[in-house]
Amino acid sequence: MAAACAVTAAAVLLPLAQAAPEAGHPAVVREPGAMAAAPQTPWTLTDTCQDPEASLRPSAVDGPTIERIRKAGKLVAGVDQNSFKWGYRNPVDGRLDGFDIALVKAIAKDILGDENAVIYRAIPTSQRVPALQDGRVDVVVRTMTINCKRLEDVAFSTAYFEAGQQVLAPKGSPITGYDPSLKGRRICTAAGSTAETALKAQSYGAVPVSVPNQLDCLVRLQLGEVDGIITDNALAAGQAAQDPSVRLVGSPFTREFYGVAMNKEATDLVRRVNKVLENYRAGGDASPWMQAYVTHLKPVLPGVAGPPAPKYRD
């Protein structure tokens, strides 16, 4: 019976993982010239730069990037279409939906006056940075953790959500968390993710399995091809809601912040997105941020009091 359920769930999820991005749009956009650490864990993800979450101060002043986006008439956004409640295709109407998608719409509304003036490009985890560097997208809003390594290649907005890495395993599994219980177990991570970095740095004897997209890990877990997953607990909560046979185990062993990623040269866009985020956070329980949280995330990730406070570096 359990095996049948796993196959059924996989059959539902696999088409999502293979769904094509929205078509009919140009392929390239060129850029002009508080988590508790797991007590058994001696290792945590650390950054070597100072205050990686600090971003440029907000501004509504138009610059060359904003002007180019307005001239094009569309904001090109790199998103996920497979992360339940974050960026996913709603089975009711097939449209992209989720917490990250709501933020993309707020950015488009501010710059273009129309929340639907967006070209969505579904990109795998490992292509988030290249897509920005190659000019394929203007922004990446895809549960992307701000860290020092990524700041070498892209720019980030201020943080819009706080999460942490945690282990997802089948109910009844001997895996108890990010600890020695991983020894000999096949543990799945998405290529290019902070989870993959964590497992490389401290594997606890696990057998690492890397896949292009995080949802691929859940499908492999359902099919019995891996024994557990390491991912952001915010993403994992949505997956556990999709499949009641899995659960989060142990404690989060990192403290991470999601940001909107942009090309390093697009400083005017960074400042504009930070201005959007200021307005998005404002209003307490009535803020657009909280409304998006209640709509998309509260059912699977309760107890979040609000967004992280912004940090600025100039």
Side-chain angles (χ1 to χ4, degrees):
M1 180 66 179
C5 291
V7 172
T8 300
V12 172
L13 292 169
L14 279 168
L16 278 175
Q18 296 168 352
E22 294 179 4
H25 302 294
V28 177
V29 174
R30 292 293 175 193
E31 185 62 41
M35 298 280 173
Q40 73 277 17
T41 304
W43 177 89
T44 56
L45 285 171
T46 56
D47 275 319
T48 56
C49 61
Q50 189 174 7
D51 246 353
E53 293 86 30
S55 184
L56 298 175
R57 289 198 176 275
S59 172
V61 175
D62 293 346
T65 313
I66 300 297
E67 290 176 359
R68 174 183 57 72
I69 293 170
R70 284 204 175 127
K71 185 176 180 180
K74 297 283 186 179
L75 176 74
V76 184
V79 298
D80 198 352
Q81 61 177 6
N82 299 317
S83 292
F84 187 53
K85 297 299 183 180
W86 287 93
Y88 71 108
R89 291 200 175 273
N90 192 314
V92 175
D93 56 17
R95 293 180 180 272
L96 285 168
D97 200 2
F99 189 83
D100 280 347
I101 305 303
L103 179 52
V104 170
K105 290 181 177 181
I107 297 170
K109 175 71 173 176
D110 182 87
I111 296 174
L112 296 165
D114 180 1
E115 68 173 22
N116 295 313
V118 182
I119 297 172
Y120 292 103
R121 301 226 178 276
I123 53 175
T125 305
S126 61
Q127 289 300 304
R128 292 178 296 189
V129 169
L132 288 166
Q133 293 177 322
D134 297 345
R136 284 176 274 155
V137 297
D138 298 314
V139 296
V140 169
V141 188
R142 196 186 182 286
T143 59
M144 190 169 178
T145 300
I146 305 167
N147 62 38
C148 294
K149 178 63 177 173
R150 289 173 178 163
L151 283 169
E152 295 174 5
D153 301 314
V154 299
F156 280 100
S157 69
T158 54
Y160 67 85
F161 202 86
E162 181 178 340
Q165 296 294 313
Q166 199 166 348
V167 178
L168 188 72
K171 292 179 179 177
S173 167
I175 296 173
T176 56
Y178 185 66
D179 58 30
S181 68
L182 298 180
K183 185 175 182 179
R185 308 290 176 184
R186 299 161 298 174
I187 302 300
C188 189
T189 62
S193 66
T194 49
E196 183 184 49
T197 301
L199 197 61
K200 285 179 179 178
Q202 172 62 280
S203 72
Y204 286 111
V207 179
V209 177
S210 181
V211 297
N213 282 300
Q214 207 281 327
L215 186 68
D216 298 334
C217 283
L218 181 60
V219 173
R220 290 198 178 205
L221 187 66
Q222 291 167 332
L223 295 175
E225 296 175 358
V226 298
D227 303 303
I229 301 168
I230 297 178
T231 188
D232 301 355
N233 59 353
L235 286 173
Q239 294 180 353
Q242 284 178 294
D243 184 353
S245 71
V246 301
R247 65 188 179 99
L248 285 162
V249 294
S251 301
F253 59 91
T254 65
R255 190 181 184 195
E256 302 179 24
F257 297 89
Y258 297 158
V260 178
M262 290 155 279
N263 188 286
K264 287 190 76 169
E265 304 302 317
T267 55
D268 60 320
L269 181 59
V270 175
R271 293 184 186 277
R272 188 56 167 266
V273 170
N274 283 338
K275 182 65 176 176
V276 173
L277 284 170
E278 271 203 340
N279 297 331
Y280 205 63
R281 298 183 190 99
D285 289 344
S287 69
W289 189 98
M290 187 57 72
Q291 290 172 9
Y293 165 73
V294 170
T295 299
H296 300 291
L297 298 180
K298 189 174 182 179
V300 298
L301 194 66
V304 177
K311 295 182 180 180
Y312 300 113
R313 58 179 170 84
D314 72 335

